[in-house]
Amino acid sequence: MKRMLLATTCIMLMFFLFCGCDSNPKGKAVSAGAKMIEPAMIITKEDAKSFTGVDFVDCTVKEQPVVGLKLCVYEKDEAFLQIGLTQSVFMDKKSGNTPESLFLTTKNAFKDAVKIDSVGDDNFLAPPGLHILKDSYYLTVSLGLMSKDKEKLKAVGIKAVENLKKYSAQ
């Protein structure tokens, strides 16, 4: 009986040891079939121009892999448009966060935040702009901290969600 228990324990330990070994990068969540979506795909420089009237060069991309965030910042003179995209495929799986949990945590910090109808599954206005939850993606769109133009933020948000659906369905 002791031999059987010892053999079973050894087999289980070997099984768990090999299950923990893979060739995927450590710390990154990688889902089967999931692909990285770049924020510049969600709001292109042509889209940014249509919303601001400014002919931007390519955006500056900033990354925060711990929380799965990629930012695309279009900036020229006084014009500014920023799109943030938080996605599971880019997250550090050790963090225990999801795009949904980060969205809800942020939303809970702004209890009286205004919601804009017809943008994503859920949304709210808070610094730096419009926060959107769509499927399992957390988007932020901003026209600058001083921008209070809800209609323009709504238009940018709707375009971001449309483009996200296009790329996440592929």
Side-chain angles (χ1 to χ4, degrees):
M1 184 70 166
K2 285 185 180 183
R3 273 189 169 165
M4 186 64 128
L5 181 62
L6 181 61
T8 304
T9 302
C10 287
I11 290 171
M12 294 300 289
L13 286 173
M14 293 295 287
F15 174 76
F16 288 119
L17 177 68
F18 288 114
C19 285
C21 296
D22 62 18
S23 60
N24 291 332
K26 300 288 185 245
K28 296 280 184 187
V30 179
S31 304
K35 70 173 200 167
M36 185 78 63
I37 300 173
E38 297 296 328
M41 297 162 65
I42 304 301
I43 297 292
T44 65
K45 67 181 176 180
E46 291 79 18
D47 295 331
K49 181 179 181 179
S50 73
F51 293 117
T52 63
V54 175
D55 195 14
F56 294 104
V57 294
D58 291 337
C59 69
T60 303
V61 177
K62 300 174 183 177
E63 299 179 349
Q64 294 294 323
V66 172
V67 292
L69 173 66
K70 285 191 173 213
L71 286 172
C72 174
V73 180
Y74 295 101
E75 196 169 18
K76 185 175 182 181
D77 301 326
E78 298 295 312
F80 178 88
L81 192 148
Q82 173 182 290
I83 176 81
L85 178 61
T86 302
Q87 53 192 321
S88 297
V89 72
F90 189 56
M91 285 188 134
D92 182 338
K93 60 184 167 185
K94 291 184 228 169
S95 75
N97 289 318
T98 64
E100 297 92 338
S101 69
L102 294 171
F103 174 86
L104 292 172
T105 299
T106 307
K107 184 177 181 180
N108 288 335
F110 297 95
K111 298 257 187 233
D112 298 326
V114 175
K115 183 175 177 166
I116 296 179
D117 292 332
S118 306
V119 182
D121 300 330
D122 194 5
N123 70 71
F124 63 95
L125 285 170
L130 179 60
H131 297 250
I132 306 163
L133 182 65
K134 178 62 183 161
D135 298 327
S136 59
Y137 296 91
Y138 176 14
L139 299 150
T140 57
V141 293
S142 175
L143 297 166
L145 287 175
M146 301 310 290
S147 177
K148 304 285 187 216
D149 190 342
K150 291 179 191 172
E151 288 305 311
K152 194 178 274 189
L153 277 172
K154 179 179 181 177
V156 175
I158 288 171
K159 182 66 172 179
V161 169
E162 285 174 4
N163 287 340
L164 176 66
K165 283 196 275 187
K166 180 170 60 174
Y167 291 110
S168 64
Q170 292 180 351

